[in-house]
């Protein structure tokens, strides 16, 4: 029996404002963050009967405490979904939410699901990366992975070594640009529509409401970045200013088969074209998006010249710049992270993939002449993840993408 694969569409995505570690969400549960995102998706899409949701996939890197216990199922129950809606948890470190999206999208294309919720949460203030893990000693004793690969900052310094043209000055300039673009996007009201206000509590200060991204530093300059320490290497290049921080936050996306979107009166924003993952040497983790993007483009029958919009996760500035240099794209190309990125907003590990999708959808909405875009990110222990999307509202124009 042969099956006809179905097109998968991204209908909607939301996220909490991101917080600094031990900041606005210090006394807020991790699961409550993603529960609020799921409820908001239902509120924003009232034509979707909750019983039509076929799966909930929620990612977390550190699946322990209030980030454990099969999050997709428990969060679904707590969000008020019918108990007939199943769910599961997933982990691919930084690409957790992105993997939740592609995994369930494969099920939609195959016909196993019609509608899914996929997302991620990371409360790094409560659960630091690596909490409770017990790495097999063979990883180090048999030199399967360079010990430096276990510290992400070290891998970023290694990437500077591999690509000497990516200087600290370039990384700092990119970081300043990210902060400036994020501030401008806030000023233009581009970011706020995807944010879910979160009630916060503090034993000392009482109740509050988180409505904006806490990590942003719009006053960042080259001078302030130049004064920062390089904690991973003496006289190094990676600082707290040209890397994403340690953050808390959650995201959730609504995906479905394209014919089902029409049936339910849902308005999709993007169509999934292809996705790919790739492995590389763990000590050069940040270069992962290079092979994953090459694979995803090849699967789609596209070249980098066909891509009109990029949302690249800014775990480290050097990681973004390595991908841009590989394809000969300028550091300040207007197609790349035009609304800022993780250096400004923050990077709560497993949740970040959907933030990238939200901002790519905003690029498509702002310019209907943009047809294809990618969301891509590096992943701990040497991986890359890339998804190619198509603007469902493309106006038929062909853009000239100058490098």
């Amino acid at each position: 029996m042969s099956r006809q694969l179905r097109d998968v569409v991204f209908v909607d995505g939301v996220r909490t404002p991101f917080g600094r570690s031990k900041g606005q969400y210090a006394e807020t549960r991790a699961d409550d963050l993603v529960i609020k995102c799921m409820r908001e998706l239902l509120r924003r899409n009232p034509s979707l009967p909750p019983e039509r949701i076929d799966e909930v996939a929620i990612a977390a890197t550190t699946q322990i405490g209030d980030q454990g216990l099969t999050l997709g199922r428990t969060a679904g129950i707590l969000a008020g979904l019918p108990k007939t809606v199943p769910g599961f948890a997933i982990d691919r470190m930084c690409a957790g939410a992105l993997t939740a999206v592609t995994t369930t999208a494969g099920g939609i294309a195959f016909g196993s699901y019609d509608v899914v919720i996929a997302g991620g949460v990371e409360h790094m203030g409560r659960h630091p990366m690596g909490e409770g893990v017990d790495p097999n000693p063979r990883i180090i004793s048999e030199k399967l992975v360079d010990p430096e690969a276990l510290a992400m900052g070290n891998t970023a310094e290694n990437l500077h070594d591999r690509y000497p043209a990516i200087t600290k000055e370039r990384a700092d300039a990119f970081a300043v640009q990210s902060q400036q673009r994020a501030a401008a996007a806030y000023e233009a009201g581009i970011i706020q529509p995807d944010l879910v206000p979160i009630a916060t509590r503090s034993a000392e200060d009482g109740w509050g409401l988180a409505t904006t991204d806490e990590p942003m530093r719009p006053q960042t300059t080259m001078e302030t970045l130049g004064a920062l320490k390089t904690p991973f290497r003496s006289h190094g290049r990676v600082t707290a200013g040209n890397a994403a921080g340690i953050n808390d936050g959650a995201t959730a996306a609504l995906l479905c088969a394209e014919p089902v979107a029409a049936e339910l009166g849902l308005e999709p924003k993007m169509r999934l074209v292809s996705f790919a993952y790739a492995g590389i040497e763990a000590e050069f983790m940040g270069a992962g998006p290079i092979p994953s993007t090459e694979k995803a483009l090849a699967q789609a029958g596209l070249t980098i010249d066909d891509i009109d919009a990029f949302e690249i996760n800014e775990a480290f500035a050097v990681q973004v710049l390595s991908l841009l240099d590989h394809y000969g794209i300028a550091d300040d190309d207007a197609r790349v992270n035009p609304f800022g990125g993780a250096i400004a907003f923050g990077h709560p590990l497993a949740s970040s993939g959907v933030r990238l999708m939200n901002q790519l959808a905003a690029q498509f909405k702002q310019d209907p002449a943009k047809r294809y875009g990618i969301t891509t990110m590096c992943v701990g222990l040497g991986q890359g993840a890339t998804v190619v999307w198509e603007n469902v509202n493309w106006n038929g124009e062909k853009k000239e993408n100058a490098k």
Side-chain angles (χ1 to χ4, degrees):
M1 173 182 174
S2 61
R3 290 176 180 264
Q4 183 69 39
L5 295 181
R6 301 183 298 176
D7 281 332
V8 180
V9 290
F10 177 97
V11 174
D12 201 2
V14 297
R15 68 177 178 91
T16 69
F18 290 164
R20 295 176 185 163
S21 173
K22 303 189 186 305
Q24 59 189 4
Y25 299 133
E27 298 178 49
T28 302
R29 290 180 60 95
D31 49 8
D32 281 337
L33 295 177
V34 75
I35 289 163
K36 187 62 185 272
C37 290
M38 294 165 64
R39 286 176 172 168
E40 180 66 8
L41 281 178
L42 295 174
R43 188 195 69 81
R44 286 164 53 130
N45 296 276
S47 67
L48 171 65
E51 62 272 15
R52 289 296 301 271
I53 298 169
D54 296 304
E55 188 70 275
V56 177
I58 301 298
T61 300
T62 307
Q63 295 191 17
I64 193 170
D66 56 339
Q67 273 181 190
L69 199 60
T70 313
L71 269 171
R73 176 59 172 168
T74 53
I77 292 171
L78 289 163
L81 295 181
K83 292 183 174 57
T84 53
V85 178
F88 65 97
I90 198 165
D91 173 29
R92 199 196 292 264
M93 300 182 83
C94 302
L98 190 146
T99 304
V101 166
T102 59
T103 299
T104 51
I108 293 171
F110 187 71
S112 296
Y113 309 139
D114 281 343
V115 183
V116 304
I117 290 177
V121 60
E122 208 75 51
H123 199 310
M124 300 181 76
R126 282 181 171 233
H127 305 295
M129 187 176 180
E131 179 188 10
V133 301
D134 180 20
N136 192 305
R138 290 181 50 232
I139 292 176
I140 303 301
S141 65
E142 297 182 18
K143 299 182 179 179
L144 301 176
V145 170
D146 189 303
E148 285 202 341
L150 302 180
M152 299 300 104
N154 290 338
T155 70
E157 288 285 4
N158 292 342
L159 212 56
H160 275 289
D161 293 339
R162 173 174 277 192
Y163 302 113
I166 304 178
T167 61
K168 182 178 184 299
E169 289 69 29
R170 278 183 68 191
D172 285 351
F174 186 85
V176 171
Q177 174 180 278
S178 179
Q179 296 282 1
Q180 292 174 342
R181 288 183 173 183
Y186 255 89
E187 182 68 22
I190 293 169
I191 302 300
Q192 295 91 326
D194 296 327
L195 299 184
V196 184
I198 300 293
T200 61
R201 67 174 296 276
S202 165
E204 182 176 339
D205 300 322
W207 288 95
L209 190 66
T211 59
T212 59
D213 291 299
E214 193 177 22
M216 292 174 62
R217 297 181 182 274
Q219 304 308 317
T220 298
T221 65
M222 290 293 288
E223 290 70 30
T224 58
L225 293 184
L228 296 177
K229 295 179 179 179
T230 56
F232 303 103
R233 187 183 298 180
S234 178
H235 305 292
R237 292 138 297 190
V238 179
T239 71
N242 59 30
I246 299 174
N247 305 111
D248 310 329
T251 60
L254 179 64
L255 298 101
C256 65
E258 193 159 10
V260 175
E263 173 200 340
L264 296 176
L266 301 171
E267 297 184 4
K269 299 176 180 179
M270 306 187 293
R271 181 181 300 111
L272 195 151
V273 178
S274 69
F275 64 87
Y277 300 89
I280 58 167
E281 309 101 305
E283 59 269 29
F284 295 103
M285 175 270 302
I290 295 173
S292 65
T293 299
E294 290 178 337
K295 287 176 67 175
L297 289 173
Q299 289 176 12
L302 301 172
T303 72
I304 200 68
D305 294 330
D306 295 309
I307 303 303
D308 304 312
F310 297 80
E311 288 294 336
I312 307 171
N313 194 46
E314 299 169 358
F316 301 94
V318 63
Q319 161 246 314
V320 181
L321 296 173
S322 68
L323 180 65
L324 298 185
D325 280 6
H326 177 77
Y327 285 113
I329 298 171
D331 297 3
D332 61 352
D333 192 301
R335 295 172 296 162
V336 178
N337 298 4
F339 310 132
I343 289 173
F345 298 122
H347 174 32
L349 300 183
S351 68
S352 288
V354 171
R355 180 192 64 78
L356 299 177
M357 296 169 196
N358 287 344
Q359 291 187 208
L360 182 63
Q363 286 203 56
F364 285 159
K365 179 180 180 181
Q366 187 180 73
D367 186 354
K370 292 185 175 184
R371 182 176 184 183
Y372 294 112
I374 65 170
T375 52
T376 186
M377 58 204 317
C378 62
V379 188
L381 295 180
Q383 298 184 78
T386 301
V387 186
V388 179
W389 300 92
E390 183 178 18
N391 186 354
V392 297
N393 297 307
W394 179 55
N395 63 11
E397 293 182 16
K398 174 64 178 174
K399 293 186 74 71
E400 294 297 325
N401 294 323
K403 292 185 180 178

